[in-house]
Amino acid sequence: MKRKTFDDLTFADDGMFQAVMKNPELSAELVERLLGVRVKQVEYPELEKAIEPYYTSKGVRLDVYLKDEDKAIDVELQSYPQKALGKRMRYYQSMVDCDCLMKGQPYTKLKESYILFICKFDPFHDDNKRGYGLPRYTL
């Protein structure tokens, strides 16, 4: 495996992605531009956050987890196509919700949550396996 020089790194390289996303201002700016939602102030960007609700249930490891006072946002970098991306997104959303609401809190305290997949490929395609070519999909 050949190592890339610093000048050859792109945002999609894991080390560069993490370096950019651990900066609260940069991560907030990226999310605002891609999702079109205002991020007031990132409480903390957490890299590779694990959420494991119960020892026998499937946990998740979120690439970048951001929180502000009323939102929780997971940012995932997808380099390779994976099956069931929609179901994976749904599961991650449920894990983020579990992390935001503590025992005894009313559901009204549940934060807005967003799961953002930045893909290096077109994740959706027609019956002929051709991608739709859209720059953004919202589910």
Side-chain angles (χ1 to χ4, degrees):
M1 175 169 32
K2 182 183 173 205
R3 287 189 146 180
K4 285 186 176 181
T5 66
F6 181 79
D7 290 337
D8 291 333
L9 291 175
T10 69
F11 178 71
D13 289 302
D14 193 50
M16 184 63 80
F17 176 72
Q18 289 190 359
V20 169
M21 295 304 292
K22 73 179 176 185
N23 180 301
E25 292 81 27
L26 290 176
S27 58
E29 175 81 15
L30 178 79
V31 167
E32 286 180 352
R33 286 178 182 247
L34 293 178
L35 289 181
V37 297
R38 174 90 170 100
V39 178
K40 295 176 184 133
Q41 178 181 353
V42 173
E43 292 174 9
Y44 60 91
E46 193 171 346
L47 304 178
E48 299 186 4
K49 177 180 177 59
I51 301 175
E52 301 175 85
Y54 193 64
Y55 75 95
T56 59
S57 62
K58 183 176 181 72
V60 296
R61 185 187 53 80
L62 309 176
D63 286 352
V64 181
Y65 188 50
L66 310 169
K67 280 187 177 181
D68 75 1
E69 62 189 38
D70 61 349
K71 288 178 207 62
I73 303 159
D74 168 36
V75 182
E76 297 289 320
L77 181 63
Q78 277 304 130
S79 295
Y80 305 101
Q82 294 194 2
K83 293 181 182 179
L85 190 62
K87 287 187 177 186
R88 181 174 169 201
M89 200 177 309
R90 185 179 113 197
Y91 194 73
Y92 279 32
Q93 182 100 34
S94 69
M95 293 292 104
V96 168
D97 284 347
C98 285
D99 190 60
C100 287
L101 199 61
M102 299 299 120
K103 188 174 183 175
Q105 285 185 306
Y107 293 109
T108 56
K109 296 289 183 188
L110 194 59
K111 293 180 179 216
E112 282 184 40
S113 60
Y114 298 88
I115 309 300
L116 173 60
F117 277 84
I118 300 171
C119 299
K120 292 175 61 175
F121 55 90
D122 194 337
F124 301 105
H125 49 80
D126 63 17
D127 292 338
N128 296 319
K129 307 281 187 220
R130 288 187 303 239
Y132 293 114
L134 297 176
R136 176 179 166 172
Y137 297 93
T138 304
L139 307 174

